[in-house]
Amino acid sequence: MNSILIALKGMAMGIAETIPGVSGGTIAFITGVYEQLLESIKAFKPSLIKTWKNEGFKAVWTEINGKFLVSLLGGMVVGIGIGLVAVEKLLESYPPVVWAFFFGLIIASIIYVGKQISKWNLGPIVALIIGIAVAFGITLLPIGQVNESLWFVFICGAIAVSALILPGISGSFILLIMGMYSYILHDTLKTGLIENHESGALITMIVFGLGMIVGLVTMARFLTWSLKKHKNTTFAILTGFMIGALNKLWPWRVPEKVMLENDEIVNFNELSSLEFDKVITEYSTSPSGYSENWGEPAFLVGVIVFFFVGLLLVLGMDYFFKNKSH
């Protein structure tokens, strides 16, 4: 039963990581597997080879907490699959409602992570402000161009997975900023590998996976040290990241510049139709401004309802897992 529960937590993390703006690290933190995950990742080091030679596979399995990792990562794979299909479809039909749900998730996550700060003095306050400024600045960046070079795919994997284990920073959002979100998750993973079994897609995902391994081990060691030595400052900067990222999750956003299928970048208001490849820059607006400029329903009632659903979901998870541990 414990393995099933861990797998469900992993599934929630996987779904979160397919959503630009929602962090799997936040879900890991709320569900109580965050520090255990960091310790398991940190266990992957050169000395494991010596352990394997001297004591065998069982000793290695114990050292890396293999049962926990397999259950969590298995759940994440399932969650990513669900996220790629279901979330994509919902965003096509009800974008403001879906973004409102994410907005509620992050607001609740800010409350949760902020509560971990035991003392507010100059250090955490400065860290909070820096976190807000950095994350807000990132949300204002234009979407990057796709770079299919394998060296860049490796770097994207390392950076995106580092964001995965940081509460408040979404790995998929980092991919979006780097211009690689659709290329990695949809063009390569979903269409190229899962649907068409292309060898080129397999090579790309292997390189991306190698980058993830390097980034994961490096970031896990840094975070373990940071949380032990500077806990309040670390939580403060992570809280700031989430506050700053809210700009990207506002339910009613209208494109400003878009890219056409021929890679030409044009102003959204110059389009004769709503057909374009992806959004480059966008701005937040009111429900009426959204309907007027986007030509789509604002779904005001649905936005309000699902904002509170997202809010209560995270706070409910916090309450459930907190009571389960006692």
Side-chain angles (χ1 to χ4, degrees):
M1 186 65 181
N2 188 46
S3 295
I4 295 174
L5 185 60
I6 291 171
L8 289 173
K9 295 175 182 181
M11 191 185 301
M13 289 175 63
I15 292 172
E17 278 306 319
T18 63
I19 304 164
V22 183
S23 169
T26 303
I27 303 299
F29 203 91
I30 291 166
T31 56
V33 298
Y34 189 69
E35 292 189 16
Q36 193 175 359
L37 175 60
L38 289 183
E39 290 296 331
S40 292
I41 296 168
K42 202 177 102 174
F44 284 88
K45 50 192 175 184
S47 62
L48 271 182
I49 299 174
K50 186 178 179 181
T51 302
W52 177 69
K53 287 181 177 179
N54 295 336
E55 302 176 48
F57 176 76
K58 188 175 181 180
V60 172
W61 184 258
T62 302
E63 191 168 335
I64 65 172
N65 200 355
K67 185 179 178 181
F68 163 79
L69 273 184
V70 168
S71 299
L72 190 74
L73 295 178
M76 284 188 70
V77 170
V78 174
I80 288 171
I82 293 171
L84 284 175
V85 177
V87 175
E88 182 181 15
K89 295 293 183 184
L90 289 170
L91 278 173
E92 287 176 3
S93 303
Y94 310 102
V97 177
V98 178
W99 288 116
F101 175 68
F102 300 157
F103 199 89
L105 286 177
I106 298 302
I107 290 288
S109 300
I110 290 168
I111 296 170
Y112 177 83
V113 177
K115 286 194 304 184
Q116 311 306 312
I117 302 168
S118 58
K119 185 178 180 182
W120 284 96
N121 50 30
L122 184 60
I125 292 172
V126 171
L128 178 74
I129 295 170
I130 291 173
I132 293 172
V134 169
F136 185 78
I138 291 174
T139 66
L140 298 179
L141 292 174
I143 303 302
Q145 300 290 319
V146 173
N147 184 341
E148 299 181 13
S149 303
L150 291 180
W151 67 266
F152 190 70
V153 170
F154 180 89
I155 290 172
C156 287
I159 296 175
V161 82
S162 298
L164 182 152
I165 57 174
L166 281 171
I169 301 182
S170 161
S172 54
F173 177 58
I174 296 299
L175 286 178
L176 193 66
I177 293 298
M178 298 177 79
M180 299 292 280
Y181 177 76
S182 292
Y183 175 69
I184 294 294
L185 290 181
H186 297 284
D187 299 347
T188 304
L189 179 59
K190 185 184 174 186
T191 304
L193 188 58
I194 297 175
E195 295 178 0
N196 298 318
H197 312 294
E198 297 173 359
S199 58
L202 177 61
I203 292 171
T204 299
M205 291 311 300
I206 288 173
V207 172
F208 186 76
L210 290 173
M212 290 178 68
I213 292 170
V214 172
L216 199 60
V217 173
T218 304
M219 183 56 69
R221 289 181 175 279
F222 171 75
L223 276 176
T224 302
W225 170 84
S226 181
L227 286 170
K228 285 180 179 177
K229 300 293 184 180
H230 308 283
K231 183 179 178 181
N232 286 340
T233 302
T234 302
F235 281 132
I237 200 166
L238 293 176
T239 303
F241 282 148
M242 286 188 281
I243 294 172
L246 286 174
N247 179 53
K248 195 67 178 178
L249 298 173
W250 181 249
W252 299 287
R253 300 192 312 279
V254 175
E256 188 173 37
K257 291 185 181 293
V258 297
M259 179 182 289
L260 306 181
E261 289 188 0
N262 62 1
D263 291 342
E264 181 186 358
I265 297 175
V266 299
N267 291 324
F268 177 72
N269 56 17
E270 295 176 358
L271 292 176
S272 56
S273 70
L274 293 180
E275 294 184 5
F276 55 87
D277 189 44
K278 67 179 178 181
V279 175
I280 302 299
T281 58
E282 57 189 356
Y283 62 91
S284 300
T285 184
S286 64
S288 59
Y290 179 84
S291 297
E292 181 182 340
N293 293 292
W294 187 236
E296 296 288 339
F299 299 109
L300 183 59
V301 174
V303 164
I304 294 171
V305 169
F306 276 87
F307 165 76
F308 283 105
V309 170
L311 189 74
L312 295 174
L313 180 63
V314 173
L315 296 177
M317 287 171 68
D318 175 28
Y319 178 81
F320 174 78
F321 288 111
K322 188 180 292 181
N323 283 305
K324 197 168 183 66
S325 63
H326 290 315

